[in-house]
Amino acid sequence: MRRDWRTAPVDERLRAALGFVEKLTLRPHELGPTDADMARAAGVSDDALVDAIHVAALFNMIVRLADSLGWDVPSFDEFSARADAMLASGYALE
């Protein structure tokens, strides 16, 4: 999935939502009602599409802030090493 969501073995609804979110992120000026219609035709509900939009918008905002302000963002491997602890206790630092 990390390499290419287009060919990953995922449900077609997820693939359609990811395509919508990619366009929203990389080419928002090209996004229109037809894109939402295509996602719906693949079985993505309006609620799921709104959830995907919210997640993408927040993630994009955080990434832009991190890039702009020089935040230290852990690598994928560092995140993976902390994943079990974060799932068990949440994001709060103790």
Side-chain angles (χ1 to χ4, degrees):
M1 175 92 166
R2 268 183 75 212
R3 286 190 184 164
D4 188 0
W5 57 267
R6 291 170 194 81
T7 58
V10 298
D11 184 277
E12 287 305 312
R13 293 172 296 181
L14 177 56
R15 191 180 321 282
L18 291 171
F20 183 92
V21 167
E22 180 184 74
K23 193 171 193 178
L24 173 66
T25 299
L26 300 177
R27 299 177 313 282
H29 57 282
E30 295 177 10
L31 193 69
T34 303
D35 297 291
D37 291 341
M38 289 173 32
R40 287 186 196 104
V44 180
S45 70
D46 284 345
D47 286 342
L49 200 53
V50 168
D51 285 348
I53 291 166
H54 286 153
V55 169
L58 289 171
F59 186 86
N60 288 331
M61 180 183 68
I62 290 168
V63 167
R64 285 177 178 88
L65 285 169
D67 288 347
S68 298
L69 300 173
W71 293 348
D72 180 32
V73 179
S75 69
F76 179 78
D77 291 333
E78 290 169 314
F79 271 123
S80 293
R82 296 175 21 206
D84 289 337
M86 290 174 75
L87 288 172
S89 62
Y91 289 87
L93 296 174
E94 295 180 31

